[in-house]
Amino acid sequence: MALASRYPDVEIPDLSVPEFVLAGGASRPDSPALVDGLTGDSISHGQLATYVDRVAAALAARGLRKGDVVAVLCPNTMWYPVVFHGIARAGCVMSPINSLYTAHEVAFQLKDSGAKVLITVSPFLDRALEAVEQSPVDEVVVMDGAEGHASLLDLISSDAPSVEVDIDPATDLVTLPYSSGTTGLPKGVMLTHRNLVANVSQSRPLVELHEGDERIIAVLPFFHIYGLTVLMNQGLQWGGTVVTLPRFDLEQFLRTIQDQEITRAFVAPPIVLALAKHPMVDQFDLSSLRSITSGAAPLDEALAQAAQDRLRKGAADGVVVAQGYGMTELSPVSHTTPDATRLPEGATSVPKGSVGLALPNTECRLVDPSTGEDAAPGERGELWVRGPQVMKGYLNNEKATRETLDDEGWLHTGDVAIVDENGCYTVVDRVKELIKYKGYQVAPAELEAVLVNNPAIADAAVIGVKDADSGEELPKAFVVRAPGAEISEQEVMDYAAERLAPHKKIRAVEFIEQVPKSAAGKILRKDLKARA
Ligand code: AYL
């Protein structure tokens, strides 16, 4: 039985992402669209539209055509949205790469996505070039410039004719982020123009928007779909100002909220933890904030309350600290906590531990995974989601697509949830392999594949174990030593750390005789969890 959204459906404009998003600032061309939180430099909405047109023209002049993939390896700067929309306007597909990836991880994504161009920044150039050697990329653009490479300025000052690419929003891809989904290695998630346009449109009725007066802090990375849709595209579509920070530093974050009078912060749980606990928070005036929304990993209810109480400084109202929920495969949002004035009829508040309500145009089911039947009212079940934000599928991986997205269009999230009588959902468990470390994905299968490449390791299995102090999930490896091998715990951790981005570090090791497996050879992670 499908559970309908408590909100009436919204109309989803039949537009490409750049047409839809950039229209948000069209009536205020001189107001800032983007601000560099470190320097205060800015790009106005009018400039943004011009730069996007130029980047698209320059890409087309290089021979890039509709559907070609352009990868971007770059931290958050105010130029990232220029690049993303330029790529999209040219009809190309932007594949965002995690800034912390090793050359090996970058190469995997370049190869798998079939990227033709890589856009990066000079501090990452060595790593980028090492990765490009093993890939189909034929040009590397260095945004801030480097000998022998075109720069962003070169693209923006191009005098190539503007392009009019015929984009079908319903079928043409706009972005290809990577996610491991419920099982296995990272896969390209095919998101269409319509997926992203829908997700921004669907989120709108839950926000009490202050037209022309919203400033969003963008410290979560644009290379993750959360940053791309919620921080960048939603913020720009609102006609707001998106203030970028290249990395999370608590003092910079707090100072930027204060100095730029930030109204909305979309964050992950570690930032809420800092807001609740760190002494430095009291030294800044954060009273411009209207909401802080946390997503990407579970947020402890008491922690959310503590952060809110502290920031309100005893006042009865003020900033709301609440949660949203989503998944790369959902563009990414399916649930969020509305502003207080945007609650659906009959509802008075959203409990702090809840991820909020299903967005408009979003249907949900809670299904007992063992029987495939709908869970009884008030009971837990695997969350299935259907709506216009559901991905088209995984790139070149029909099997994984079929395992995740069924014939009726339901996306099986691998998360377990409950819903209350007001339609507020709470995520209570995760039944998929995925581990979340500080909101980042860690795919056990990827770590296992790295470990078994070590000749001293005969077999390995990785699970997440909850750390009592931080509440974080830590990747733990169960390792079977090869006969006669003497590899130590530290050597196992070092071996993985050399090959993988820092958030994928193995943080605990246990040696075992044999990895428990089913008759079909599947790792019995439940048994390992019980043992840990
Ligand atoms: P991915 N509580 C518990 N688990 C969560 C939550 C939450 N609030 N949000 C995300 N997850 C987990 O693809 C869950 O297991 O996308 C889910 O399947 O990196 C997985 O993270 C998906 O990880 C927003 C906007 C949340 C974006 C997002 C999350 C995008 C993370 C809320 O407003």
Side-chain angles (χ1 to χ4, degrees), residues 178-181 199 224-227 230 266-267 269 293-299 323-329 332-336 354-355 413-415 427-430 432 434 436 439-441:
Y178 274 67
S179 164
S180 67
N199 210 222
H224 188 270
I225 191 68
Y226 185 4
V230 178
F266 299 92
V267 302
T293 307
S294 170
L299 176 66
Q323 289 192 74
Y325 163 86
M327 208 170 139
T328 307
E329 290 81 349
V333 191
S334 60
H335 292 74
T336 200
S354 161
V355 299
T413 67
D415 293 305
V427 176
V428 293
D429 197 5
R430 199 183 295 139
K432 56 188 166 188
L434 179 68
K436 275 287 175 121
Y440 288 109
Q441 289 201 1

mmCIF file of all heavy atoms in Angstrom, residues 178-181 199 224-227 230 266-267 269 293-299 323-329 332-336 354-355 413-415 427-430 432 434 436 439-441, ligand 1:
data_model
loop_
_atom_site.group_PDB
_atom_site.id
_atom_site.type_symbol
_atom_site.label_atom_id
_atom_site.label_comp_id
_atom_site.label_asym_id
_atom_site.label_seq_id
_atom_site.Cartn_x
_atom_site.Cartn_y
_atom_site.Cartn_z
ATOM 1 N N TYR A 178 28.554 9.167 -8.114
ATOM 2 C CA TYR A 178 28.785 7.741 -7.847
ATOM 3 C C TYR A 178 28.286 7.360 -6.460
ATOM 4 O O TYR A 178 28.456 8.101 -5.492
ATOM 5 C CB TYR A 178 30.272 7.395 -8.042
ATOM 6 C CG TYR A 178 30.513 7.080 -9.503
ATOM 7 C CD1 TYR A 178 30.387 8.079 -10.473
ATOM 8 C CD2 TYR A 178 30.772 5.780 -9.935
ATOM 9 C CE1 TYR A 178 30.518 7.788 -11.824
ATOM 10 C CE2 TYR A 178 30.916 5.484 -11.280
ATOM 11 C CZ TYR A 178 30.788 6.488 -12.221
ATOM 12 O OH TYR A 178 30.907 6.191 -13.549
ATOM 13 N N SER A 179 27.657 6.203 -6.403
ATOM 14 C CA SER A 179 27.136 5.689 -5.136
ATOM 15 C C SER A 179 27.201 4.177 -5.181
ATOM 16 O O SER A 179 27.000 3.574 -6.241
ATOM 17 C CB SER A 179 25.680 6.128 -4.970
ATOM 18 O OG SER A 179 25.045 5.365 -3.953
ATOM 19 N N SER A 180 27.459 3.564 -4.026
ATOM 20 C CA SER A 180 27.486 2.098 -4.024
ATOM 21 C C SER A 180 26.080 1.539 -3.878
ATOM 22 O O SER A 180 25.881 0.342 -4.030
ATOM 23 C CB SER A 180 28.391 1.578 -2.915
ATOM 24 O OG SER A 180 27.843 1.886 -1.669
ATOM 25 N N GLY A 181 25.116 2.403 -3.557
ATOM 26 C CA GLY A 181 23.744 1.915 -3.403
ATOM 27 C C GLY A 181 23.650 0.915 -2.274
ATOM 28 O O GLY A 181 24.306 1.082 -1.246
ATOM 29 N N ASN A 199 13.347 17.713 -7.860
ATOM 30 C CA ASN A 199 13.694 17.705 -6.453
ATOM 31 C C ASN A 199 13.709 19.101 -5.840
ATOM 32 O O ASN A 199 13.266 19.298 -4.700
ATOM 33 C CB ASN A 199 15.030 16.979 -6.231
ATOM 34 C CG ASN A 199 15.126 16.301 -4.878
ATOM 35 O OD1 ASN A 199 16.146 16.352 -4.214
ATOM 36 N ND2 ASN A 199 14.034 15.680 -4.440
ATOM 37 N N HIS A 224 29.077 16.101 -3.915
ATOM 38 C CA HIS A 224 28.078 15.155 -3.425
ATOM 39 C C HIS A 224 26.713 15.711 -3.820
ATOM 40 O O HIS A 224 26.513 16.918 -3.850
ATOM 41 C CB HIS A 224 28.205 15.041 -1.899
ATOM 42 C CG HIS A 224 27.363 13.957 -1.290
ATOM 43 N ND1 HIS A 224 26.078 14.198 -0.867
ATOM 44 C CD2 HIS A 224 27.607 12.655 -1.035
ATOM 45 C CE1 HIS A 224 25.570 13.074 -0.362
ATOM 46 N NE2 HIS A 224 26.480 12.125 -0.457
ATOM 47 N N ILE A 225 25.781 14.812 -4.116
ATOM 48 C CA ILE A 225 24.483 15.261 -4.631
ATOM 49 C C ILE A 225 23.749 16.174 -3.639
ATOM 50 O O ILE A 225 22.987 17.059 -4.049
ATOM 51 C CB ILE A 225 23.614 14.031 -5.031
ATOM 52 C CG1 ILE A 225 22.378 14.439 -5.815
ATOM 53 C CG2 ILE A 225 23.265 13.215 -3.816
ATOM 54 C CD1 ILE A 225 22.626 14.992 -7.165
ATOM 55 N N TYR A 226 23.985 16.003 -2.356
ATOM 56 C CA TYR A 226 23.395 16.877 -1.332
ATOM 57 C C TYR A 226 23.839 18.315 -1.600
ATOM 58 O O TYR A 226 23.012 19.239 -1.690
ATOM 59 C CB TYR A 226 23.876 16.375 0.031
ATOM 60 C CG TYR A 226 23.316 17.022 1.277
ATOM 61 C CD1 TYR A 226 22.329 17.996 1.251
ATOM 62 C CD2 TYR A 226 23.790 16.614 2.528
ATOM 63 C CE1 TYR A 226 21.840 18.544 2.430
ATOM 64 C CE2 TYR A 226 23.298 17.143 3.713
ATOM 65 C CZ TYR A 226 22.335 18.112 3.655
ATOM 66 O OH TYR A 226 21.865 18.650 4.823
ATOM 67 N N GLY A 227 25.140 18.512 -1.766
ATOM 68 C CA GLY A 227 25.658 19.851 -2.041
ATOM 69 C C GLY A 227 25.165 20.388 -3.380
ATOM 70 O O GLY A 227 24.814 21.565 -3.504
ATOM 71 N N VAL A 230 20.833 20.576 -3.132
ATOM 72 C CA VAL A 230 20.216 21.320 -2.027
ATOM 73 C C VAL A 230 20.922 22.653 -1.772
ATOM 74 O O VAL A 230 20.270 23.677 -1.582
ATOM 75 C CB VAL A 230 20.196 20.442 -0.743
ATOM 76 C CG1 VAL A 230 19.605 21.211 0.426
ATOM 77 C CG2 VAL A 230 19.411 19.150 -0.999
ATOM 78 N N PHE A 266 22.629 23.769 5.565
ATOM 79 C CA PHE A 266 22.346 22.345 5.333
ATOM 80 C C PHE A 266 23.647 21.618 5.625
ATOM 81 O O PHE A 266 24.662 21.897 4.983
ATOM 82 C CB PHE A 266 21.878 22.112 3.895
ATOM 83 C CG PHE A 266 20.607 22.850 3.570
ATOM 84 C CD1 PHE A 266 20.648 24.120 3.015
ATOM 85 C CD2 PHE A 266 19.368 22.294 3.854
ATOM 86 C CE1 PHE A 266 19.477 24.822 2.726
ATOM 87 C CE2 PHE A 266 18.195 22.977 3.570
ATOM 88 C CZ PHE A 266 18.249 24.250 3.009
ATOM 89 N N VAL A 267 23.612 20.748 6.604
ATOM 90 C CA VAL A 267 24.857 20.179 7.117
ATOM 91 C C VAL A 267 24.714 18.671 7.320
ATOM 92 O O VAL A 267 23.671 18.092 7.016
ATOM 93 C CB VAL A 267 25.249 20.866 8.449
ATOM 94 C CG1 VAL A 267 25.417 22.376 8.263
ATOM 95 C CG2 VAL A 267 24.208 20.580 9.542
ATOM 96 N N PRO A 269 25.670 15.425 10.355
ATOM 97 C CA PRO A 269 25.686 15.330 11.823
ATOM 98 C C PRO A 269 26.959 15.823 12.535
ATOM 99 O O PRO A 269 26.829 16.447 13.600
ATOM 100 C CB PRO A 269 25.437 13.837 12.076
ATOM 101 C CG PRO A 269 24.581 13.418 10.911
ATOM 102 C CD PRO A 269 25.121 14.191 9.737
ATOM 103 N N THR A 293 19.501 22.235 8.726
ATOM 104 C CA THR A 293 18.979 20.920 8.362
ATOM 105 C C THR A 293 20.138 19.958 8.233
ATOM 106 O O THR A 293 21.108 20.239 7.519
ATOM 107 C CB THR A 293 18.200 20.990 7.038
ATOM 108 O OG1 THR A 293 17.215 22.022 7.145
ATOM 109 C CG2 THR A 293 17.513 19.661 6.733
ATOM 110 N N SER A 294 20.034 18.842 8.944
ATOM 111 C CA SER A 294 21.091 17.834 8.897
ATOM 112 C C SER A 294 20.623 16.635 8.100
ATOM 113 O O SER A 294 19.492 16.172 8.262
ATOM 114 C CB SER A 294 21.452 17.410 10.328
ATOM 115 O OG SER A 294 22.312 16.284 10.318
ATOM 116 N N GLY A 295 21.483 16.123 7.250
ATOM 117 C CA GLY A 295 21.154 14.918 6.488
ATOM 118 C C GLY A 295 22.412 14.144 6.193
ATOM 119 O O GLY A 295 23.514 14.568 6.558
ATOM 120 N N ALA A 296 22.266 13.021 5.546
ATOM 121 C CA ALA A 296 23.347 12.152 5.076
ATOM 122 C C ALA A 296 23.716 11.030 6.043
ATOM 123 O O ALA A 296 24.386 10.080 5.660
ATOM 124 C CB ALA A 296 24.599 12.931 4.667
ATOM 125 N N ALA A 297 23.313 11.147 7.305
ATOM 126 C CA ALA A 297 23.574 10.098 8.293
ATOM 127 C C ALA A 297 22.658 10.360 9.489
ATOM 128 O O ALA A 297 22.131 11.469 9.633
ATOM 129 C CB ALA A 297 25.043 10.112 8.710
ATOM 130 N N PRO A 298 22.485 9.353 10.341
ATOM 131 C CA PRO A 298 21.571 9.547 11.479
ATOM 132 C C PRO A 298 22.057 10.651 12.411
ATOM 133 O O PRO A 298 23.241 10.773 12.683
ATOM 134 C CB PRO A 298 21.603 8.193 12.207
ATOM 135 C CG PRO A 298 22.195 7.223 11.246
ATOM 136 C CD PRO A 298 23.061 8.003 10.310
ATOM 137 N N LEU A 299 21.109 11.447 12.883
ATOM 138 C CA LEU A 299 21.425 12.512 13.842
ATOM 139 C C LEU A 299 20.732 12.160 15.154
ATOM 140 O O LEU A 299 19.526 11.913 15.182
ATOM 141 C CB LEU A 299 20.900 13.855 13.325
ATOM 142 C CG LEU A 299 21.077 15.049 14.271
ATOM 143 C CD1 LEU A 299 22.554 15.374 14.459
ATOM 144 C CD2 LEU A 299 20.338 16.276 13.747
ATOM 145 N N GLN A 323 15.996 17.574 10.561
ATOM 146 C CA GLN A 323 16.629 16.643 9.627
ATOM 147 C C GLN A 323 15.913 16.521 8.292
ATOM 148 O O GLN A 323 14.704 16.694 8.199
ATOM 149 C CB GLN A 323 16.637 15.232 10.223
ATOM 150 C CG GLN A 323 17.579 15.030 11.361
ATOM 151 C CD GLN A 323 17.702 13.539 11.672
ATOM 152 O OE1 GLN A 323 18.340 12.788 10.937
ATOM 153 N NE2 GLN A 323 17.100 13.121 12.765
ATOM 154 N N GLY A 324 16.689 16.165 7.300
ATOM 155 C CA GLY A 324 16.157 15.696 6.025
ATOM 156 C C GLY A 324 16.729 14.320 5.787
ATOM 157 O O GLY A 324 17.656 13.889 6.484
ATOM 158 N N TYR A 325 16.173 13.644 4.811
ATOM 159 C CA TYR A 325 16.662 12.309 4.477
ATOM 160 C C TYR A 325 16.701 12.165 2.968
ATOM 161 O O TYR A 325 15.830 12.690 2.249
ATOM 162 C CB TYR A 325 15.740 11.229 5.053
ATOM 163 C CG TYR A 325 15.925 9.867 4.426
ATOM 164 C CD1 TYR A 325 16.890 8.990 4.906
ATOM 165 C CD2 TYR A 325 15.175 9.497 3.308
ATOM 166 C CE1 TYR A 325 17.090 7.758 4.297
ATOM 167 C CE2 TYR A 325 15.373 8.262 2.702
ATOM 168 C CZ TYR A 325 16.335 7.394 3.202
ATOM 169 O OH TYR A 325 16.531 6.180 2.597
ATOM 170 N N GLY A 326 17.668 11.458 2.498
ATOM 171 C CA GLY A 326 17.727 11.227 1.070
ATOM 172 C C GLY A 326 18.817 10.264 0.718
ATOM 173 O O GLY A 326 19.440 9.644 1.579
ATOM 174 N N MET A 327 19.061 10.173 -0.558
ATOM 175 C CA MET A 327 19.988 9.195 -1.098
ATOM 176 C C MET A 327 20.395 9.685 -2.483
ATOM 177 O O MET A 327 19.568 10.293 -3.181
ATOM 178 C CB MET A 327 19.175 7.901 -1.228
ATOM 179 C CG MET A 327 19.889 6.628 -1.143
ATOM 180 S SD MET A 327 18.656 5.302 -1.038
ATOM 181 C CE MET A 327 19.471 4.142 -2.119
ATOM 182 N N THR A 328 21.633 9.465 -2.871
ATOM 183 C CA THR A 328 22.090 9.907 -4.189
ATOM 184 C C THR A 328 21.075 9.509 -5.267
ATOM 185 O O THR A 328 20.759 10.288 -6.163
ATOM 186 C CB THR A 328 23.468 9.290 -4.502
ATOM 187 O OG1 THR A 328 24.340 9.588 -3.408
ATOM 188 C CG2 THR A 328 24.051 9.836 -5.786
ATOM 189 N N GLU A 329 20.547 8.280 -5.146
ATOM 190 C CA GLU A 329 19.620 7.722 -6.130
ATOM 191 C C GLU A 329 18.281 8.458 -6.126
ATOM 192 O O GLU A 329 17.426 8.215 -6.980
ATOM 193 C CB GLU A 329 19.398 6.231 -5.820
ATOM 194 C CG GLU A 329 20.616 5.335 -6.102
ATOM 195 C CD GLU A 329 21.685 5.344 -5.000
ATOM 196 O OE1 GLU A 329 21.621 6.201 -4.085
ATOM 197 O OE2 GLU A 329 22.599 4.504 -5.054
ATOM 198 N N PRO A 332 18.785 14.402 -4.152
ATOM 199 C CA PRO A 332 18.723 13.243 -3.278
ATOM 200 C C PRO A 332 17.540 13.235 -2.310
ATOM 201 O O PRO A 332 17.436 12.299 -1.535
ATOM 202 C CB PRO A 332 19.993 13.421 -2.445
ATOM 203 C CG PRO A 332 20.052 14.902 -2.211
ATOM 204 C CD PRO A 332 19.421 15.527 -3.445
ATOM 205 N N VAL A 333 16.664 14.215 -2.276
ATOM 206 C CA VAL A 333 15.780 14.325 -1.111
ATOM 207 C C VAL A 333 14.439 13.614 -1.327
ATOM 208 O O VAL A 333 13.781 13.808 -2.349
ATOM 209 C CB VAL A 333 15.488 15.811 -0.771
ATOM 210 C CG1 VAL A 333 14.799 15.912 0.585
ATOM 211 C CG2 VAL A 333 16.751 16.638 -0.779
ATOM 212 N N SER A 334 14.035 12.817 -0.343
ATOM 213 C CA SER A 334 12.659 12.288 -0.337
ATOM 214 C C SER A 334 11.876 12.816 0.855
ATOM 215 O O SER A 334 10.660 12.934 0.790
ATOM 216 C CB SER A 334 12.653 10.763 -0.345
ATOM 217 O OG SER A 334 13.311 10.265 0.801
ATOM 218 N N HIS A 335 12.584 13.114 1.966
ATOM 219 C CA HIS A 335 11.922 13.576 3.184
ATOM 220 C C HIS A 335 12.646 14.779 3.753
ATOM 221 O O HIS A 335 13.876 14.830 3.720
ATOM 222 C CB HIS A 335 11.950 12.481 4.262
ATOM 223 C CG HIS A 335 11.110 11.289 3.913
ATOM 224 N ND1 HIS A 335 11.506 10.379 2.967
ATOM 225 C CD2 HIS A 335 9.908 10.882 4.381
ATOM 226 C CE1 HIS A 335 10.568 9.446 2.861
ATOM 227 N NE2 HIS A 335 9.587 9.715 3.693
ATOM 228 N N THR A 336 11.897 15.704 4.283
ATOM 229 C CA THR A 336 12.559 16.778 5.016
ATOM 230 C C THR A 336 11.598 17.379 6.030
ATOM 231 O O THR A 336 10.395 17.142 6.007
ATOM 232 C CB THR A 336 13.163 17.831 4.064
ATOM 233 O OG1 THR A 336 14.161 18.566 4.768
ATOM 234 C CG2 THR A 336 12.118 18.792 3.538
ATOM 235 N N SER A 354 12.960 12.722 14.015
ATOM 236 C CA SER A 354 12.365 12.364 12.727
ATOM 237 C C SER A 354 13.097 13.043 11.582
ATOM 238 O O SER A 354 13.687 14.109 11.748
ATOM 239 C CB SER A 354 10.892 12.812 12.747
ATOM 240 O OG SER A 354 10.374 12.916 11.450
ATOM 241 N N VAL A 355 13.037 12.421 10.387
ATOM 242 C CA VAL A 355 13.616 13.062 9.200
ATOM 243 C C VAL A 355 12.582 13.929 8.491
ATOM 244 O O VAL A 355 12.859 14.522 7.452
ATOM 245 C CB VAL A 355 14.221 12.039 8.219
ATOM 246 C CG1 VAL A 355 15.356 11.269 8.893
ATOM 247 C CG2 VAL A 355 13.168 11.086 7.667
ATOM 248 N N THR A 413 15.314 1.526 -0.652
ATOM 249 C CA THR A 413 16.412 2.341 -0.112
ATOM 250 C C THR A 413 17.430 1.557 0.699
ATOM 251 O O THR A 413 18.547 2.023 0.879
ATOM 252 C CB THR A 413 15.873 3.466 0.800
ATOM 253 O OG1 THR A 413 15.287 2.854 1.971
ATOM 254 C CG2 THR A 413 14.858 4.345 0.081
ATOM 255 N N GLY A 414 17.021 0.420 1.257
ATOM 256 C CA GLY A 414 17.932 -0.288 2.169
ATOM 257 C C GLY A 414 17.964 0.330 3.551
ATOM 258 O O GLY A 414 18.763 -0.074 4.399
ATOM 259 N N ASP A 415 17.103 1.315 3.784
ATOM 260 C CA ASP A 415 16.973 1.910 5.115
ATOM 261 C C ASP A 415 15.663 1.451 5.737
ATOM 262 O O ASP A 415 14.672 1.244 5.029
ATOM 263 C CB ASP A 415 16.976 3.441 5.034
ATOM 264 C CG ASP A 415 18.313 3.976 4.578
ATOM 265 O OD1 ASP A 415 19.324 3.644 5.219
ATOM 266 O OD2 ASP A 415 18.351 4.714 3.572
ATOM 267 N N VAL A 427 14.084 7.252 10.588
ATOM 268 C CA VAL A 427 14.946 6.173 10.096
ATOM 269 C C VAL A 427 15.525 5.471 11.311
ATOM 270 O O VAL A 427 16.152 6.111 12.160
ATOM 271 C CB VAL A 427 16.069 6.740 9.200
ATOM 272 C CG1 VAL A 427 17.022 5.635 8.762
ATOM 273 C CG2 VAL A 427 15.470 7.443 7.977
ATOM 274 N N VAL A 428 15.304 4.154 11.404
ATOM 275 C CA VAL A 428 15.720 3.443 12.623
ATOM 276 C C VAL A 428 16.848 2.439 12.395
ATOM 277 O O VAL A 428 17.489 1.995 13.339
ATOM 278 C CB VAL A 428 14.514 2.730 13.291
ATOM 279 C CG1 VAL A 428 13.521 3.752 13.818
ATOM 280 C CG2 VAL A 428 13.819 1.771 12.331
ATOM 281 N N ASP A 429 17.112 2.094 11.143
ATOM 282 C CA ASP A 429 18.148 1.082 10.902
ATOM 283 C C ASP A 429 18.538 1.117 9.423
ATOM 284 O O ASP A 429 17.872 1.774 8.614
ATOM 285 C CB ASP A 429 17.594 -0.310 11.252
ATOM 286 C CG ASP A 429 18.692 -1.358 11.435
ATOM 287 O OD1 ASP A 429 19.892 -0.999 11.384
ATOM 288 O OD2 ASP A 429 18.341 -2.538 11.621
ATOM 289 N N ARG A 430 19.605 0.405 9.102
ATOM 290 C CA ARG A 430 20.029 0.288 7.703
ATOM 291 C C ARG A 430 20.255 -1.189 7.417
ATOM 292 O O ARG A 430 21.005 -1.835 8.154
ATOM 293 C CB ARG A 430 21.327 1.079 7.508
ATOM 294 C CG ARG A 430 21.633 1.413 6.073
ATOM 295 C CD ARG A 430 22.962 2.136 5.916
ATOM 296 N NE ARG A 430 22.993 3.437 6.536
ATOM 297 C CZ ARG A 430 24.035 3.909 7.225
ATOM 298 N NH1 ARG A 430 25.115 3.177 7.382
ATOM 299 N NH2 ARG A 430 23.986 5.093 7.743
ATOM 300 N N LYS A 432 21.244 -2.304 4.323
ATOM 301 C CA LYS A 432 22.194 -2.477 3.221
ATOM 302 C C LYS A 432 23.625 -2.492 3.758
ATOM 303 O O LYS A 432 23.860 -2.178 4.924
ATOM 304 C CB LYS A 432 22.003 -1.382 2.183
ATOM 305 C CG LYS A 432 22.098 0.045 2.707
ATOM 306 C CD LYS A 432 21.707 1.028 1.613
ATOM 307 C CE LYS A 432 21.451 2.413 2.147
ATOM 308 N NZ LYS A 432 20.898 3.300 1.099
ATOM 309 N N LEU A 434 26.121 -0.562 3.008
ATOM 310 C CA LEU A 434 26.745 0.762 3.109
ATOM 311 C C LEU A 434 27.088 1.177 4.551
ATOM 312 O O LEU A 434 26.285 1.010 5.456
ATOM 313 C CB LEU A 434 25.767 1.795 2.515
ATOM 314 C CG LEU A 434 26.210 3.247 2.538
ATOM 315 C CD1 LEU A 434 27.386 3.463 1.597
ATOM 316 C CD2 LEU A 434 25.057 4.163 2.135
ATOM 317 N N LYS A 436 28.333 4.619 6.693
ATOM 318 C CA LYS A 436 28.438 6.071 6.581
ATOM 319 C C LYS A 436 29.461 6.568 7.583
ATOM 320 O O LYS A 436 29.311 6.362 8.795
ATOM 321 C CB LYS A 436 27.078 6.706 6.894
ATOM 322 C CG LYS A 436 26.159 6.747 5.673
ATOM 323 C CD LYS A 436 26.640 7.801 4.723
ATOM 324 C CE LYS A 436 25.953 7.919 3.418
ATOM 325 N NZ LYS A 436 25.356 9.230 3.187
ATOM 326 N N GLY A 439 28.990 11.108 7.212
ATOM 327 C CA GLY A 439 28.087 11.439 6.107
ATOM 328 C C GLY A 439 28.577 10.957 4.755
ATOM 329 O O GLY A 439 27.841 10.985 3.788
ATOM 330 N N TYR A 440 29.843 10.527 4.678
ATOM 331 C CA TYR A 440 30.383 10.016 3.405
ATOM 332 C C TYR A 440 30.117 8.531 3.277
ATOM 333 O O TYR A 440 30.145 7.800 4.259
ATOM 334 C CB TYR A 440 31.895 10.249 3.324
ATOM 335 C CG TYR A 440 32.280 11.680 3.120
ATOM 336 C CD1 TYR A 440 32.866 12.415 4.140
ATOM 337 C CD2 TYR A 440 32.054 12.297 1.898
ATOM 338 C CE1 TYR A 440 33.220 13.741 3.962
ATOM 339 C CE2 TYR A 440 32.404 13.621 1.711
ATOM 340 C CZ TYR A 440 32.987 14.340 2.743
ATOM 341 O OH TYR A 440 33.332 15.647 2.555
ATOM 342 N N GLN A 441 29.944 8.100 2.028
ATOM 343 C CA GLN A 441 29.752 6.679 1.773
ATOM 344 C C GLN A 441 31.058 5.905 1.890
ATOM 345 O O GLN A 441 32.075 6.317 1.341
ATOM 346 C CB GLN A 441 29.238 6.478 0.337
ATOM 347 C CG GLN A 441 27.833 6.927 0.117
ATOM 348 C CD GLN A 441 27.219 6.256 -1.109
ATOM 349 O OE1 GLN A 441 27.855 5.446 -1.770
ATOM 350 N NE2 GLN A 441 25.984 6.600 -1.379
HETATM 351 P P1 AYL B 1 24.038 9.169 0.089
HETATM 352 N N1 AYL B 1 19.130 9.701 8.882
HETATM 353 C C1 AYL B 1 19.675 8.471 8.746
HETATM 354 N N2 AYL B 1 20.328 8.055 7.660
HETATM 355 C C2 AYL B 1 20.423 8.912 6.635
HETATM 356 C C3 AYL B 1 19.855 10.204 6.690
HETATM 357 C C4 AYL B 1 19.193 10.597 7.880
HETATM 358 N N3 AYL B 1 18.674 11.807 8.056
HETATM 359 N N4 AYL B 1 20.100 10.805 5.501
HETATM 360 C C5 AYL B 1 20.786 9.928 4.747
HETATM 361 N N5 AYL B 1 21.005 8.793 5.423
HETATM 362 C C6 AYL B 1 21.750 7.607 4.991
HETATM 363 O O1 AYL B 1 23.661 8.484 -1.157
HETATM 364 C C7 AYL B 1 20.808 6.502 4.550
HETATM 365 O O2 AYL B 1 21.359 5.255 4.882
HETATM 366 O O3 AYL B 1 23.103 10.430 0.134
HETATM 367 C C8 AYL B 1 20.766 6.704 3.052
HETATM 368 O O4 AYL B 1 20.367 5.562 2.334
HETATM 369 O O5 AYL B 1 25.455 9.531 0.307
HETATM 370 C C9 AYL B 1 22.183 7.086 2.765
HETATM 371 O O6 AYL B 1 22.543 7.923 3.863
HETATM 372 C C10 AYL B 1 22.337 7.798 1.457
HETATM 373 O O7 AYL B 1 23.622 8.272 1.320
HETATM 374 C C11 AYL B 1 18.894 16.069 2.592
HETATM 375 C C12 AYL B 1 19.681 16.023 1.458
HETATM 376 C C13 AYL B 1 19.771 13.965 3.183
HETATM 377 C C14 AYL B 1 20.511 14.959 1.236
HETATM 378 C C15 AYL B 1 20.557 13.915 2.067
HETATM 379 C C16 AYL B 1 21.401 12.749 1.961
HETATM 380 C C17 AYL B 1 22.141 12.448 0.758
HETATM 381 C C18 AYL B 1 23.089 11.296 1.142
HETATM 382 C C19 AYL B 1 18.949 15.005 3.428
HETATM 383 O O8 AYL B 1 18.075 17.127 2.836
#
